[in-house]
Amino acid sequence: MKIKVFADTICGWCYIGHTRLLKALKDFKNTSFVFEYVPFQLNPDMPKKGINRLDYLKYKFGSKEAAKPMYDNMIKEALKENLIINLEKIKITPNTNFSHILIKLAFSKNIGHEVLNKIFEAYFLKGKNIGDKNVLFEIGESSNINEREIYEVFSSKKEINEINKSDTEARSMGVNGVPFFKINNKTYISGAQSSTNLIEAIKANL
């Protein structure tokens, strides 16, 4: 069974959705899954160095206070999955291109879920700048990805172009928010829905 996962690495709902997907998969120990990670950029025009988080909140929502209800709800849902989101630790809203490239490399090595989770934890739990290549090198190496291999994909213009192409293709499909799951090219799941809903969607495609 093939599952396409559309996500962005600075998306708290994607962190929750990813956790719920992995929980749902535990119900299908005898089913073989093939995953395709599709990079999506919530902020496709983000500067390479990212921007100050407070400036980002003003740009995106008008103010930090205006964003609070949405983030409060996100934190509440995260706690249901035993996930801690420390927004106050986040100082920079990063450009996510290089984090997407590392995840793509990780999925080619069958450790995509592991690396994706580490990136989410680095950003949401520890407040690290996941647009910083050094942070990503550290994450990749902690999952035994060779430093030289990471350097090569980070230096490739082709990889950057493919990230942008994936984002454009997702939007052309009508995907304008993430997480978004496509199961066997037939069933579409939008948002960080419950593990129960994901289980039912997978069952419908068996």
Side-chain angles (χ1 to χ4, degrees):
M1 180 177 294
K2 184 172 184 178
I3 298 181
K4 279 189 175 184
V5 180
F6 297 74
D8 198 1
T9 49
I10 60 164
C11 168
W13 293 108
C14 295
Y15 187 16
I16 297 165
H18 176 247
T19 301
R20 289 176 174 171
L21 174 63
L22 295 185
K23 184 185 291 185
L25 295 180
K26 292 178 181 178
D27 271 33
F28 302 93
K29 294 180 180 178
N30 296 320
T31 302
S32 177
F33 292 95
V34 175
F35 294 94
E36 180 181 350
Y37 177 81
V38 185
F40 188 89
Q41 298 175 75
L42 291 171
N43 307 293
D45 299 321
M46 179 65 69
K48 288 183 179 180
K49 291 185 178 181
I51 62 174
N52 177 276
R53 177 165 170 77
L54 289 178
D55 291 338
Y56 170 75
L57 292 177
K58 290 177 184 177
Y59 165 76
K60 196 82 170 181
F61 301 99
S63 68
K64 180 180 178 180
E65 291 70 29
K68 190 175 185 301
M70 185 278 288
Y71 283 119
D72 284 349
N73 186 40
M74 183 179 75
I75 290 169
K76 181 180 177 182
E77 287 297 309
L79 286 172
K80 291 179 182 179
E81 306 301 331
N82 297 315
L83 302 176
I84 303 298
I85 292 180
N86 292 318
L87 294 180
E88 297 305 317
K89 287 190 175 184
I90 300 172
K91 304 304 179 186
I92 297 291
T93 298
N95 180 300
T96 57
N97 276 340
F98 289 111
S99 62
H100 286 309
I101 289 171
L102 178 60
I103 293 163
K104 180 184 173 185
L105 176 61
F107 268 99
S108 75
K109 298 177 176 295
N110 297 316
I111 54 172
H113 293 304
E114 173 188 325
V115 171
L116 177 55
N117 194 61
K118 286 182 178 181
I119 289 173
F120 281 140
E121 286 186 350
Y123 186 63
F124 289 107
L125 182 63
K126 302 172 184 175
K128 291 188 176 182
N129 179 3
I130 57 169
D132 185 331
K133 291 181 184 178
N134 290 325
V135 171
L136 296 171
F137 271 114
E138 182 181 324
I139 291 171
E141 289 171 10
S142 74
S143 292
N144 296 315
I145 302 177
N146 182 271
E147 180 181 355
R148 180 66 190 176
E149 202 169 355
I150 300 172
Y151 176 80
E152 287 176 356
V153 293
F154 281 179
S155 302
S156 170
K157 289 184 178 180
K158 178 184 175 184
E159 293 292 340
I160 291 289
N161 290 337
E162 287 190 0
I163 296 301
N164 293 327
K165 182 180 177 183
S166 293
D167 182 82
T168 300
E169 288 179 354
R171 293 180 191 277
S172 70
M173 288 172 50
V175 178
N176 51 29
V178 283
F180 188 88
F181 306 98
K182 188 175 182 182
I183 302 172
N184 267 0
N185 293 318
K186 290 190 286 185
T187 302
Y188 303 87
I189 302 288
S190 179
Q193 296 194 28
S194 68
S195 296
T196 300
N197 286 352
L198 289 166
I199 287 169
E200 292 304 314
I202 293 170
K203 282 182 178 178
N205 285 273
L206 289 176

